[in-house]
Amino acid sequence: MVSVAFLLYPGAFAKDIRYIGSVETISGDISADMARGTVFLDTNRNSSFDSTGIGIEGVLVSNGREIVTTRADGTYKLPVYDDMNLLITKPSGYAALVDDMLIPQFNYIHKVAGSPDLRFGGIDPTGPMPTAINFPLIKDNSARMAFECLIFGDAQPYFNIQVSYVRETAGKMLVARDNSNTECLLFEGDVMGDDLSLYPPFNRIIAVGDTPQHYSMGGNHDLDFGATDDQHSFDTFRREWGPEYYSFDVGMSIS
C-alpha cells in the first residue's frame, strides 16, 4: 500500500465533513421517460431542492453513455437505460455531500431489475426512473492553483485479519496526520481482495481520518466473480462506492 501527496498547498483550510446527506430523488405516479433534474447550490444544506436552492449552470451530467451540461437554471435531461449510473462531474470550487463514511454522493444508480443472484448482494431493484434526480453541492475553495491529495494503491485485504493491517497502516496514518489541507483521498483499484463483504469495515477505518471527497476506483479484485457477464460484474462496487467510471474536477484550469 503506497500513499503519495502531491502539490502541497501551504494555506490551511478545513474540508467540511458535516455536509452529510444523499442525492434527492423525487418519485411520481408515472415513471419518467427521460432522466431529469437539477444540479443546485444547497444553501441551507438540507439536500433538498427547495426555494433556497440555486441552479448551477454548466455542470457535466452523464448517464454513462451521453453527457450534457446543465442549463442556466441548473436543469438537465438525458435518455434512460434500464441499467445505468446517473452522475455529475463535481465542478472545481464545489463539494458534493457525503454519506456517513465520507464517500461523495454524486450519483444515482438506476437498475430496474436489480442484480442477479450474487454472493455479495449487488444492487437491489430500483424500479422505474424517478420523476427527478437532483444533485446538491456546496461551495468550497478547491478551485486553487495548488492542492493536496492522498493516493493509495492496492489495499487489497483478502481476510478480516488483513483489514486490521489497513487499520494499523492507512488508518493510523490518517488519524495522526493533519488532513486539513487535503482536498481528496483516492484508492486506485483493488480496494478489496475478492471478499467484497469487507467493504464496510474497510470504509469505517478510512473514515476516521475525517477526509471527505473520498473516491475509489475498482480493480479486478473488486469484481463480483459470480456475475455471468460484465453488465453485473461491478454491481457490489457500485452499491458501496458509486460508478465504476466517473470524473471530478479540482484545482484551477490554466488557459
Side-chain angles (χ1 to χ4, degrees):
M1 183 165 19
V2 178
S3 68
V4 180
F6 63 95
L7 291 174
L8 181 62
Y9 180 69
F13 72 99
K15 300 298 294 181
D16 193 341
I17 64 171
R18 299 166 299 170
Y19 186 43
I20 296 175
S22 60
V23 170
E24 182 182 35
T25 61
I26 299 175
S27 299
D29 295 332
I30 302 174
S31 61
D33 60 345
M34 297 284 286
R36 294 178 172 88
T38 304
V39 181
F40 67 98
L41 182 63
D42 188 11
T43 57
N44 62 5
R45 301 190 174 206
N46 66 353
S47 307
S48 178
F49 184 48
D50 53 24
S51 59
T52 67
I54 302 170
I56 303 173
E57 182 180 8
V59 179
L60 296 175
V61 188
S62 177
N63 58 11
R65 303 186 190 187
E66 293 90 5
I67 302 174
V68 298
T69 56
T70 54
R71 302 180 182 92
D73 61 356
T75 59
Y76 69 89
K77 182 173 67 173
L78 281 160
V80 171
Y81 302 98
D82 286 347
D83 187 353
M84 70 180 198
N85 299 312
L86 185 66
L87 66 149
I88 65 169
T89 293
K90 181 199 77 66
S92 185
Y94 293 86
L97 47 72
V98 295
D99 66 10
D100 56 0
M101 292 293 102
L102 304 185
I103 297 171
Q105 303 298 291
F106 61 93
N107 74 286
Y108 171 77
I109 297 175
H110 181 63
K111 197 175 180 78
V112 175
S115 301
D117 185 19
L118 298 174
R119 177 184 175 189
F120 302 108
I123 300 167
D124 291 334
T126 62
M129 172 61 65
T131 302
I133 306 292
N134 299 323
F135 296 96
L137 296 170
I138 58 172
K139 286 187 176 180
D140 73 358
N141 62 351
S142 62
R144 295 173 290 108
M145 186 65 71
F147 58 90
E148 175 188 273
C149 283
L150 295 176
I151 302 176
F152 295 81
D154 294 84
Q156 204 167 326
Y158 286 89
F159 310 104
N160 195 53
I161 191 172
Q162 292 181 344
V163 176
S164 70
Y165 303 160
V166 176
R167 182 186 66 242
E168 295 301 308
T169 53
K172 284 189 173 181
M173 184 204 77
L174 289 169
V175 169
R177 75 187 300 273
D178 178 6
N179 297 314
S180 59
N181 286 337
T182 303
E183 181 60 41
C184 57
L185 180 62
L186 304 173
F187 278 86
E188 292 193 316
D190 289 347
V191 184
M192 280 300 108
D194 302 337
D195 185 351
L196 308 187
S197 70
L198 299 177
Y199 276 138
F202 178 92
N203 291 344
R204 286 193 292 271
I205 289 169
I206 300 305
V208 300
D210 287 345
T211 308
Q213 310 306 305
H214 169 191
Y215 296 93
S216 288
M217 288 142 276
N220 60 302
H221 290 283
D222 296 301
L223 294 170
D224 282 288
F225 287 116
T228 57
D229 55 52
D230 288 344
Q231 181 181 357
H232 308 294
S233 61
F234 268 116
D235 279 4
T236 299
F237 179 91
R238 291 167 67 193
R239 184 194 73 213
E240 295 292 328
W241 294 101
E244 61 272 50
Y245 301 103
Y246 59 90
S247 62
F248 60 94
D249 293 335
V250 297
M252 294 177 62
S253 60
I254 302 174
S255 58

